[in-house]
Amino acid sequence: MFLFVASACSTGGGTSDTPSASDKPPASGKEINVDGFPIVSAPITITAMGSKFATHGEWKDMKVLTEYAKKTNITVDWQTVPDNAFVEKRNIALAGGELPDMFYRARLSSY
């Protein structure tokens, strides 16, 4: 315990408020705005897979998501899967390598 406390108090590995080169987003050919909207200067589209209950509307038609797409310059191509079939569809995507850019409500375990 003493070594843990002593190492936390050392000044050798201090942090700085100045961003380093590793804090910057990777170069992707797109301008990224780190301070506000739009997030990217040129519009981009990303894919997302998520589970959806049968009683919910299509995510691509949700007002809040369409407004965020306008503000950010990032359009999301939603691949919604019925909730009762999502785990199987997600596992097929993970096993086959056909991955979306992001998962939403993916129910992934920490394992």
Side-chain angles (χ1 to χ4, degrees), residues 33-41 67-73:
N33 180 12
V34 295
D35 296 322
F37 294 110
I39 294 175
V40 290
S41 58
E67 288 301 314
Y68 273 124
K70 290 177 193 172
K71 284 181 86 163
T72 62
N73 265 351

Side-chain angles (χ1 to χ4, degrees), residues 10-102:
S10 73
T11 57
T15 61
S16 170
D17 289 337
T18 307
S20 68
S22 64
D23 293 336
K24 294 180 181 174
S28 63
K30 303 279 185 193
E31 288 286 326
I32 298 174
N33 180 12
V34 295
D35 296 322
F37 294 110
I39 294 175
V40 290
S41 58
I44 63 170
T45 300
I46 61 174
T47 57
M49 179 186 287
S51 64
K52 179 177 93 65
F53 291 109
T55 56
H56 292 168
E58 288 297 321
W59 293 357
K60 65 181 175 136
D61 299 330
M62 288 184 183
K63 181 84 170 156
V64 68
L65 297 178
T66 57
E67 288 301 314
Y68 273 124
K70 290 177 193 172
K71 284 181 86 163
T72 62
N73 265 351
I74 300 172
T75 302
V76 179
D77 178 17
W78 291 102
Q79 301 169 359
T80 55
V81 179
D83 192 57
N84 60 352
F86 179 75
V87 172
E88 181 180 3
K89 180 78 171 175
R90 180 205 64 204
N91 290 344
I92 290 170
L94 290 171
E98 297 279 331
L99 298 174
D101 295 315
M102 70 176 191

